[in-house]
């Protein structure tokens, strides 16, 4: 098995069968994380890039079975911030020393192309790099946001198992989501995708396919999120919470896509106090501190127990900086583009 990890570390290529073997082995977590940590250091260095996360609306027209923001969750009070509020939070993120903000929301039709472009322009005037994570849109809409100044886009494929996707994302279509991902890449965005790990009936073979999909669509960033059941969703009794398996998928992603950006996801931190640390020592090089105001934060419930729910933006950020220093790493000083994307611009 060590041979396979060595092969991944040196060639950055494994086939599906080899990935499945590594995912099946219950004894190789530490070896995989160590190998991914070395590859991370070699290709993207010791800096950890911070992205200020602004969760600006929890309205969603979709009904993903796993997600607390799904439209049929009537227990969740809904909010949307106004344009000034969103831009002033971005300005505050800049004052706190952040260089990138991520605007994330459910699929909220109130934010039409014109409104989104106004917000994008307002934030770009601040001199920040800007990532959008607002779901599936037409190619024309993605082009309009890009034209307005958006730099990056996050949209997870969630799973490459089409049956699992159809079961968990009613009314949505896997091919259309994959097409959104391809459109974003073609438009020149720094492309972020990712998957959930631990969905009911998810096979190790499909996780192997997920990793190969990230390579195929040429991701610049990949976020791996352990699925955490939410009590107000149809999956409330599902198991989920597979931190170690999520860490393995993340480490394998680093081994196969060595020069991309990989966040230590908040869901990993939510599952264990050292979840984020393990991720940062196993291939991750990005953290997304929450800069949403505390009043709204408790209602952005993709899943329960998000660790940052009770903190103010400044307190969240300080916690993160302390952690980075305690790991002997440094806070990224620039925009923190993925080296993979930068190489493509040459
Ligand atoms: N609406 C947009 C962005 C917000 S959702 C979109 O769907 O792309 C952001 C991510 O939250 C999703 O991609 C999904 O992977 C994750 N998520 C949703 N429910 C979750 C849960 N119960 N546990 C862990 N992650 C979850
Ligand atoms: Fe909406 Fe995104 Fe949640 Fe699906 S995962 S219900 S699209 S917020």
């Amino acid at each position: 098995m060590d041979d396979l990890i060595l092969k991944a570390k040196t060639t950055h290529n494994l086939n599906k069968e080899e990935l499945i073997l590594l995912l099946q082995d219950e004894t190789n977590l530490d070896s995989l994380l160590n190998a991914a940590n070395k590859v991370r250091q070699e290709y993207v260095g010791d800096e950890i890039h911070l992205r200020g996360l602004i969760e600006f609306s929890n309205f969603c027209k979709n009904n993903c079975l796993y997600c607390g923001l799904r439209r049929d969750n009537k227990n969740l009070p809904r909010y949307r911030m106004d344009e000034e509020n969103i831009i002033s939070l971005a300005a505050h993120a800049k004052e706190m020393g952040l260089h990138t903000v991520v605007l994330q929301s459910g699929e909220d039709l109130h934010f039409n192309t014109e409104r989104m472009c106004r917000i994008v322009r307002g934030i770009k005037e601040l001199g920040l790099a800007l990532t959008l994570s607002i779901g599936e849109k037409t190619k024309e809409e993605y082009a309009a946001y890009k034209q307005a100044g958006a730099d990056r886009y996050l949209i997870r494929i969630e799973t490459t198992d089409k049956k699992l996707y159809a079961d968990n994302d009613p009314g949505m279509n896997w091919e259309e989501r994959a097409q959104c991902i391809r459109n974003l890449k073609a438009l020149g965005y720094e492309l972020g995708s990712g998957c959930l790990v631990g969905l009911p009936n998810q096979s190790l073979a499909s996780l192997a396919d997920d990793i190969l999909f990230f390579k195929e669509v040429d991701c610049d960033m990949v976020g791996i999120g352990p699925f955490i059941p939410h009590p107000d969703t149809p999956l409330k009794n599902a198991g989920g919470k597979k931190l170690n398996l999520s860490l393995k998928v993340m480490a394998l992603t680093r081994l196969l896509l060595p020069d991309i950006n990989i966040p230590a996801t908040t869901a990993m931190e939510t599952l264990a106090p050292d979840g984020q640390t393990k991720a940062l020592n196993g291939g991750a090089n990005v953290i997304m501190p929450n800069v949403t105001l505390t009043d709204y934060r408790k209602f952005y419930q993709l899943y329960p127990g998000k660790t940052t729910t009770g903190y103010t933006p400044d307190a969240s950020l300080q916690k993160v900086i302390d952690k980075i220093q305690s790991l002997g790493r440094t806070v990224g000083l620039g925009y923190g583009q993925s080296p993979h994307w930068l190489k493509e611009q040459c």
Side-chain angles (χ1 to χ4, degrees):
M1 190 58 64
D2 284 350
D3 288 352
L4 271 187
I5 297 180
L6 189 63
K7 179 179 174 195
K9 203 173 151 190
T10 47
T11 67
H12 312 301
N13 263 312
L14 291 178
N15 63 31
K16 182 170 172 181
E17 287 65 39
E18 291 168 328
L19 282 168
I20 294 173
L21 281 175
L22 287 170
L23 288 168
Q24 276 168 344
D25 184 333
E26 286 175 8
T27 65
N28 64 2
L29 174 64
D30 288 343
S31 319
L32 273 178
L33 293 176
N34 286 337
N37 195 34
K38 294 226 169 63
V39 168
R40 184 272 307 157
Q41 188 168 39
E42 184 184 338
Y43 281 83
V44 300
D46 279 337
E47 285 189 328
I48 294 177
H49 304 292
L50 303 180
R51 323 296 194 196
L53 178 62
I54 301 175
E55 299 157 332
F56 66 94
S57 165
N58 70 353
F59 282 87
C60 190
K61 71 176 175 62
N62 293 334
N63 223 4
C64 307
L65 260 54
Y66 42 80
C67 178
L69 304 195
R70 65 197 306 271
R71 68 165 185 268
D72 283 356
N73 180 7
K74 306 293 182 210
N75 290 340
L76 183 70
R78 303 284 169 165
Y79 72 88
R80 63 170 64 94
M81 295 180 193
D82 61 31
E83 294 174 28
E84 292 73 39
N85 201 339
I86 297 169
I87 295 170
S88 70
L89 270 183
H92 185 61
K94 185 180 176 181
E95 278 161 26
M96 291 193 292
L98 298 172
H99 309 289
T100 300
V101 290
V102 180
L103 292 189
Q104 194 181 77
S105 68
E107 289 202 16
D108 181 355
L109 295 177
H110 167 84
F111 289 96
N112 58 21
T113 314
E114 194 189 328
R115 286 199 175 107
M116 259 344 280
C117 286
R118 251 196 328 262
I119 295 166
V120 168
R121 281 192 294 271
I123 292 180
K124 288 306 290 179
E125 275 170 22
L126 300 167
L128 292 163
L130 175 60
T131 307
L132 297 177
S133 178
I134 58 177
E136 295 181 28
K137 309 283 170 189
T138 63
K139 191 169 185 186
E140 290 68 34
E141 284 168 294
Y142 288 148
Y145 309 148
K146 188 88 183 52
Q147 177 77 27
D151 303 284
R152 307 172 186 157
Y153 206 100
L154 301 179
I155 179 166
R156 290 182 177 169
I157 192 64
E158 313 295 3
T159 173
T160 46
D161 177 336
K162 293 178 192 169
K163 171 156 187 344
L164 194 62
Y165 188 86
D167 290 346
N168 281 290
D169 298 273
M172 296 171 81
N173 175 304
W174 189 90
E175 301 293 348
E176 283 171 18
R177 196 160 183 92
Q179 191 55 48
C180 284
I181 290 173
R182 295 198 168 91
N183 288 344
L184 287 159
K185 186 76 190 179
L187 287 165
Y189 278 92
E190 249 187 283
L191 171 67
S193 193
C195 63
L196 283 165
V197 174
L199 288 169
N201 303 317
Q202 188 176 33
S203 65
L204 295 183
S206 82
L207 291 171
D209 279 334
D210 293 353
I211 299 168
L212 294 172
F213 175 84
F214 303 146
K215 219 170 157 72
E216 181 207 320
V217 296
D218 204 13
C219 284
D220 302 296
M221 317 177 263
V222 173
I224 308 294
F227 157 60
I228 304 176
H230 188 294
D232 295 321
T233 64
L235 298 189
K236 63 181 172 212
N237 295 322
K241 303 188 179 179
K242 295 198 170 167
L243 178 61
N244 284 350
L245 184 58
S246 306
L247 288 166
K248 283 176 75 165
V249 174
M250 185 201 71
L252 286 166
T253 301
R254 169 62 72 200
L255 291 172
L256 265 62
L257 291 85
D259 56 356
I260 64 166
N261 281 337
I262 298 186
T265 54
T266 312
M268 288 179 173
E269 179 76 349
T270 300
L271 286 184
D274 61 350
Q276 204 168 45
T277 302
K278 282 187 174 156
L280 292 171
N281 286 332
N285 69 324
V286 170
I287 301 181
M288 293 163 62
N290 200 320
V291 296
T292 312
L293 293 173
T294 320
D295 287 353
Y296 291 126
R297 226 185 257 193
K298 57 179 174 293
F299 300 127
Y300 198 80
Q301 278 180 22
L302 302 168
Y303 48 84
K306 281 170 77 182
T307 50
T308 57
T309 306
Y311 296 98
T312 60
D314 300 64
S316 293
L317 183 62
Q318 196 50 51
K319 255 169 67 104
V320 164
I321 293 173
D322 291 347
K323 181 175 292 178
I324 292 172
Q325 284 166 351
S326 75
L327 294 175
R329 306 266 284 275
T330 55
V331 176
L333 296 175
Y335 287 136
Q337 292 106 328
S338 101
H340 184 77
W341 181 84
L342 282 174
K343 229 177 285 162
E344 288 172 345
Q345 309 312 302
C346 300

